[in-house]
Amino acid sequence: MKIIDYELFQVPPRWLFLKITTDEGIVGWGEPVIEGKAATVKAAVHEFMQQLMGENPLNIEDHWNMMYRSSFYRGGPILMSAISGIDQALWDIKGKYYNAPVHELMGGACRHSMKVYSWIGGDRPIDTSNAAKKAYENGFSAIKMNATEELQYIDSFDKIESVVERVAGIREAVGNNLGIGIDFHGRVHRPMAKVLAKELEQFNPMFIEEPVLSENIEAIREMSQTTSIPIALGERLYSRWDFKPILESGYVDVIQPDLSHAGGITECKKIISMAEAYDVGAAPHCPLGPIALASCLQVDATCHNSFIQEQSLGIHYNKGSDILDYIKNKEVFEFDNGYVKIPKGPGLGVEIDEDLVRKMAEKGHDWHNPVWRHKDGSIAEW
């Protein structure tokens, strides 16, 4: 079997899909994208695919090493996201070739379903508490929310109080049965992160995510020593080599590799297995589309330390197009009491609606994250 063709589809709301075709008629789908840099990743995919044309798609490990190791300059969000989507598509082909779900080719499943959480939004306490209550009533036992607006290195305490009020409202609305992930989003610098974490401890969050940017490992160390809240990060780390110092530090409790950013199925399986050796949990990052989510679930199925999965159904980014729109077998992502079953279909287990993909690719997108500034005009972390 040989790779004979590939196509890329930039589709709303902010996704990039890859279709790889073989001479035996088997096709595989991947999702190579960095949010806000889809066109840049697309160019990188074109460069990598030139080296894969005519090759046997089943030799995934060799292809991964070729793409990564043959590049003198390697790693980073763009190159690794391109590799990620190609890797996902190759695994999809391999599963279809053997008529088995990907997880069966990776040792088999250690679970039949995966716990998922629901994103909630809202700027006022009543908004977040109502959103959390709705998620809880819909069967979710965990939610995630953005913690705060932009914060200066040292900022006013009223911004901290607004976060506390929203989290308090959630606890009052649904009690302690709901896990609350609080995403600092890298918006908070070291001085204010300590203050915010201290104020949030009383609500027993499930975790705080990116309390500081992951490159500030010395600040992560300080956070781990001053709070009892589990610390999660990893969406902006792109390989096992990026995760290695984080895991060796012992400062992080939950890693969040993104299967469309951190080398795809091949690499993220290795990253999560590395974390297991350090007794660290995994909650893969996935505010993306159906191919990325299906890839996550295939890896989650094989990893004992994966304990919860992000998913983007209904997230604010997805206005106009959502993850179920692009697949025919919509039941594959049917949530039941906060869990989703591991897909059992061949390959990734999702049937892409190619006609709709082609139609929406004509519309395309040019999504970019907003640029935030502080009152003094300086750039704020988004």
Side-chain angles (χ1 to χ4, degrees), residues 258-365:
D258 189 308
L259 271 82
S260 280
H261 303 338
I265 290 171
T266 298
E267 183 72 349
C268 287
K269 167 65 174 175
K270 295 174 182 177
I271 291 168
I272 296 173
S273 294
M274 282 173 59
E276 185 180 0
Y278 289 89
D279 206 23
V280 169
H285 182 255
C286 190
L288 296 170
I291 303 169
L293 179 57
S295 298
C296 287
L297 293 173
Q298 295 294 338
V299 173
D300 288 332
T302 70
C303 295
H304 183 268
N305 54 327
S306 288
F307 72 96
I308 199 164
Q309 176 61 56
E310 181 173 24
Q311 53 82 30
S312 72
L313 187 64
I315 198 171
H316 54 289
Y317 297 121
N318 294 0
K319 290 181 179 178
S321 296
D322 217 325
I323 60 173
L324 297 182
D325 296 343
Y326 290 105
I327 59 174
K328 294 180 178 179
N329 56 335
K330 302 183 190 303
E331 72 282 354
V332 74
F333 295 139
E334 187 175 295
F335 302 137
D336 182 18
N337 288 318
Y339 286 79
V340 62
K341 291 181 180 179
I342 302 300
K344 294 183 178 179
L348 296 178
V350 288
E351 299 172 23
I352 300 299
D353 187 341
E354 187 171 336
D355 290 339
L356 181 63
V357 168
R358 292 185 179 278
K359 177 181 177 181
M360 297 306 289
E362 294 178 2
K363 180 179 180 180
H365 73 83

Side-chain angles (χ1 to χ4, degrees), residues 12 52 62 98 104 162 169 188 221 290 296 312 314 336 357 379:
L52 291 176
D62 183 63
Y98 287 107
E104 288 289 351
S162 69
V188 188
R221 178 185 63 232
C296 287
S312 72
D336 182 18
V357 168
I379 292 291

